[in-house]
Amino acid sequence: MEIKDICSKFKIKGKFIKAKMLNSGIINNTYKVYFQNNDKDEQYIIQRINQNVFKKPALVMQNILSISQHLINKLKKLDASIDRTVLHYMLADNNYAYYTDEEGEYWRCYRFINDSVTYNNPDDLFIIEEAGKAFGQFQSLLCDFDATTLHESIPDFHNTKLRFTRLFESYDLDVAQRAGEVQAEIEYLRSRQELASSLCNKIENKLLPIKVTHNDTKCNNVLFDQDTNQALAVIDLDTVMPGIVAYDYGDAIRCVAATCEEDETDLNKVKINMSKFNAFTKGFVSKVKNTLSNEEFDSLSDGIIVITLELASRFLKDYLDGDIYFKIKYQDHNLVRARCQIELAKEFERHFDEIKKTIESYK
Ligand code: GN1
Ligand code: MG
């Protein structure tokens, strides 16, 4: 089905002009579509939800709508504008916030926020601090949302303990005959298994509270105003689920403080930029500090390493399974990604004391 035909299933006003595929994200397919409505140019985002990853897309949409409504209510109470700070989903003809095509694919559509931009790997510390504030505010606005009412869109998404077990199972099974190439990586991850399990253990022992978490806190999931660079909205709410704050904070730092892309091949370039780490942490903590317990605060630094180890284990498992989960651009892409994340985890370990002190200093 053409994107134009998909658009016609949603209650979008005006005339379809064109569609452009966007290359962000390694899970869903995303298009920007251009409409003309009474001489005004209007843009929307159309996305096909990846059902290999999200088994129950309708429930994912239910999560997104209830979270968005909560954000809208809270922002209104704060007298903040909701026009550009929350995504507004378009209803399909059947009044659902998604359309299912003949092949059973799920599509959704939301209004593109005017004059907004995203940044993959920004260097500007103002932008990074803004990203920290955006994810911190997201967390604090949702701290009174009952997380148990959310559908677990990907079960055990951040169950790092289980992720490790599954990695070692894939290694033993070796369906793609690649185990021979990953000895060093497996050895390193085995040596970090206990550390990687530490936050799961705290959850099991009820030392960390379960809250609403975003679970994909990459910088490019924040929209910024293109003129002022102020953060506007947090996007990509597919993986909003019950979780712990340390994973959201950790994942953001993993992404924003690295000096390279997630799939850097030259491991000498995999470093942490402490100024970027500082800027994000300052913004994030300023928004969450009144909502976190001491235990939660303490877990933030661990979150950085644990999530990096977790992603390394996921990339490596996918490589061993024959690349069935993440989209790849070349044959060894998942192995390259895993190696890069392992190097990054080592970097975080080397800077751990400084990281801990900095977080404390913003408390
Ligand atoms: C995936 O597709 P994207 O970029 O939104 C993944 C995240 C990973 C990320 C790594 C549902 O997110 O968990 O951190 O790739 N999302 C899912 O780039 O698996
Ligand atoms: Mg995502």
Side-chain angles (χ1 to χ4, degrees):
M1 219 167 163
E2 302 252 339
I3 295 301
K4 184 180 175 183
D5 300 325
I6 303 289
C7 291
S8 73
K9 306 293 180 189
F10 287 90
K11 297 179 183 179
I12 306 178
K13 290 200 180 112
K15 183 170 168 263
F16 175 91
I17 305 294
K18 63 173 180 180
K20 193 173 109 187
M21 185 163 187
L22 302 182
N23 276 327
S24 56
I26 52 179
I27 300 289
N28 295 319
N29 286 1
T30 306
Y31 304 83
K32 189 167 175 184
V33 294
Y34 298 75
F35 271 73
Q36 203 153 46
N37 182 27
N38 294 331
D39 289 338
K40 262 185 34 211
D41 294 328
E42 287 170 355
Q43 292 144 32
Y44 297 86
I45 297 291
I46 295 267
Q47 266 180 329
R48 193 185 76 195
I49 305 176
N50 181 334
Q51 286 186 73
N52 185 25
V53 173
F54 300 103
K55 308 284 181 208
K56 294 180 180 161
L59 295 179
V60 169
M61 289 314 293
Q62 198 175 304
N63 278 356
I64 293 179
L65 294 183
S66 58
I67 290 289
S68 303
Q69 195 53 53
H70 186 90
L71 292 174
I72 289 172
N73 297 345
K74 292 291 276 284
L75 287 165
K76 276 185 176 164
K77 270 193 201 149
L78 294 172
D79 265 341
S81 147
I82 54 156
D83 225 35
R84 299 173 77 220
T85 49
V86 188
L87 290 184
H88 297 269
Y89 288 86
M90 306 303 292
L91 293 182
D93 288 341
N94 54 11
N95 282 329
Y96 286 118
Y98 55 85
Y99 163 70
T100 321
D101 68 19
E102 296 101 27
E103 279 143 42
E105 298 288 359
Y106 281 70
W107 297 84
R108 65 170 168 229
C109 173
Y110 55 85
R111 224 185 319 128
F112 178 78
I113 295 185
N114 285 338
D115 304 322
S116 67
V117 281
T118 54
Y119 298 103
N120 277 331
N121 212 340
D123 288 321
D124 184 332
L125 298 182
F126 176 83
I127 295 176
I128 294 173
E129 189 177 333
E130 281 293 304
K133 285 187 198 163
F135 283 121
Q137 160 140 315
F138 182 84
Q139 176 56 234
S140 75
L141 289 177
L142 289 163
C143 75
D144 58 345
F145 186 104
D146 179 2
T148 61
T149 62
L150 290 175
H151 159 66
E152 215 181 335
S153 41
I154 304 178
D156 293 313
F157 192 54
H158 285 323
N159 186 340
T160 318
K161 225 176 181 174
L162 192 65
R163 294 276 189 194
F164 266 58
T165 306
R166 288 189 184 150
L167 164 69
F168 300 134
E169 280 168 7
S170 288
Y171 175 73
D172 291 339
L173 278 174
D174 195 17
V175 287
Q177 303 277 291
R178 287 168 161 180
E181 293 161 58
V182 303
Q183 301 291 332
E185 291 74 20
I186 288 287
E187 203 174 300
Y188 170 76
L189 290 173
R190 278 199 207 282
S191 75
R192 294 298 182 271
Q193 193 168 5
E194 206 178 309
L195 173 61
S197 307
S198 59
L199 292 179
C200 290
N201 291 338
K202 285 194 174 170
I203 296 172
E204 278 166 26
N205 294 326
K206 305 226 175 326
L207 294 171
L208 292 171
I210 299 298
K211 293 189 166 168
V212 177
T213 47
H214 181 278
N215 295 307
D216 194 10
T217 47
K218 290 184 296 198
C219 193
N220 64 11
N221 280 331
V222 177
L223 294 183
F224 297 86
D225 182 286
Q226 72 180 22
D227 299 321
T228 66
N229 274 335
Q230 255 152 350
L232 296 169
V234 166
I235 58 170
D236 189 1
L237 307 186
D238 288 331
T239 48
V240 171
M241 277 182 280
I244 56 168
V245 178
Y247 279 104
D248 267 6
Y249 168 75
D251 208 13
I253 294 295
R254 175 191 73 74
C255 209
V256 87
T259 54
C260 60
E261 295 289 335
E262 204 168 75
D263 53 1
E264 175 59 58
T265 48
D266 179 355
L267 296 183
N268 291 318
K269 291 190 184 153
V270 184
K271 300 273 179 257
I272 311 170
N273 180 321
M274 288 306 281
S275 307
K276 291 184 176 185
F277 160 76
N278 258 283
F280 185 92
T281 303
K282 186 174 175 204
F284 185 84
V285 174
S286 73
K287 296 287 180 182
V288 296
K289 63 176 166 195
N290 296 328
T291 68
L292 298 192
S293 67
N294 283 338
E295 274 286 352
E296 280 178 296
F297 240 107
D298 217 42
S299 68
L300 293 181
S301 47
D302 295 332
I304 302 173
I305 298 186
V306 172
I307 197 79
T308 309
L309 291 170
E310 181 185 291
L311 192 58
S313 77
R314 293 174 62 194
F315 284 145
L316 197 60
K317 173 178 161 44
D318 203 32
Y319 180 69
L320 289 167
D321 291 346
D323 309 312
I324 52 180
Y325 186 88
F326 295 107
K327 290 191 232 163
I328 53 165
K329 292 199 177 121
Y330 52 88
Q331 220 208 333
D332 289 350
H333 204 167
N334 274 319
L335 179 58
V336 164
R337 286 168 172 154
R339 286 185 173 149
C340 177
Q341 294 307 301
I342 286 176
E343 192 54 36
L344 197 55
K346 291 179 182 169
E347 264 288 287
F348 285 131
E349 285 187 51
R350 287 191 276 269
H351 287 78
F352 194 67
D353 290 343
E354 199 182 341
I355 285 175
K356 244 188 141 41
K357 271 194 209 129
T358 308
I359 298 175
E360 276 299 309
S361 74
Y362 290 122
K363 203 166 160 182

